[in-house]
């Protein structure tokens, strides 16, 4: 009788643990994903208030021996390809040139630095580097 009681308790405990295991599971979120507020703001930047496309934003430059192109507002554009009404006419290591009719627009990958680099101290002199053992 005692063996049967212990068997029933063991089965009941196993069933309870099995059923409760799923309720404690949580979905894992990507720690590198930007906050939801930034995602919503980026989605709103695709179109301006007037409904026209926002200013092109250069996200990446692809240069290799087999292809040249750029990613502009999330869209891959090969050299000579079109982005909206513009044509990609030049690809450089730091920027690209879009041509719309007679108008040319240069998109830079990195904005120009307004202030000296953080690696330089006051007066533009390099900071002292301390090596640790």
């Amino acid at each position: 009788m005692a063996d049967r009681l212990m068997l029933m308790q063991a089965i009941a405990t196993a069933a309870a643990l099995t059923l409760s295991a799923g309720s404690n599971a949580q979905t894992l979120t990507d720690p590198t994903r930007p906050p939801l507020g930034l995602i919503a703001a980026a989605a709103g930047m695709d179109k301006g208030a007037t409904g026209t496309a926002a200013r092109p934003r250069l996200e990446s430059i692809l240069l290799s021996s087999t292809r040249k192109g750029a990613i502009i507002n999330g869209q891959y554009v090969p050299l000579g390809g079109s982005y909206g009404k513009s044509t990609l006419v030049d690809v450089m290591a730091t920027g690209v040139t879009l041509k719309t009719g007679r108008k040319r627009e240069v998109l830079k990958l990195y904005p120009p630095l307004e202030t000296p680099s953080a690696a330089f101290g006051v007066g533009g002199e390099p900071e002292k580097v301390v090596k640790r053992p």
Side-chain angles (χ1 to χ4, degrees):
M1 183 77 168
D3 290 335
R4 188 172 181 188
L5 183 60
M6 286 180 58
L7 179 63
M8 294 300 282
Q9 287 178 340
I11 291 173
T13 303
L17 288 174
T18 302
L19 293 175
S20 67
S23 65
N24 290 334
Q26 295 179 353
T27 58
L28 297 176
T29 58
D30 182 5
T32 62
R33 183 178 178 167
L36 291 176
L38 290 178
I39 293 172
M45 285 176 28
D46 289 341
K47 298 283 184 181
T50 61
T52 59
R55 183 177 188 280
R57 182 180 43 143
L58 181 62
E59 296 176 1
S60 182
I61 297 173
L62 304 162
L63 284 173
S64 72
S65 60
T66 58
R67 70 177 180 173
K68 292 183 178 183
I71 297 179
I72 302 172
N73 287 357
Q75 176 186 342
Y76 173 72
V77 182
L79 181 63
S82 63
Y83 174 77
K85 295 180 181 179
S86 302
T87 303
L88 184 63
V89 293
D90 190 22
V91 178
M92 301 164 288
T94 59
V96 298
T97 303
L98 290 174
K99 182 179 178 184
T100 308
R102 293 185 178 183
K103 180 184 168 194
R104 289 182 177 258
E105 181 177 9
V106 177
L107 304 176
K108 294 288 186 180
L109 188 58
Y110 301 109
L113 294 175
E114 299 293 329
T115 59
S117 171
F120 290 94
V122 178
E125 295 294 322
E127 292 182 355
K128 182 178 177 182
V129 176
V130 178
K131 292 185 179 179
R132 295 184 180 175

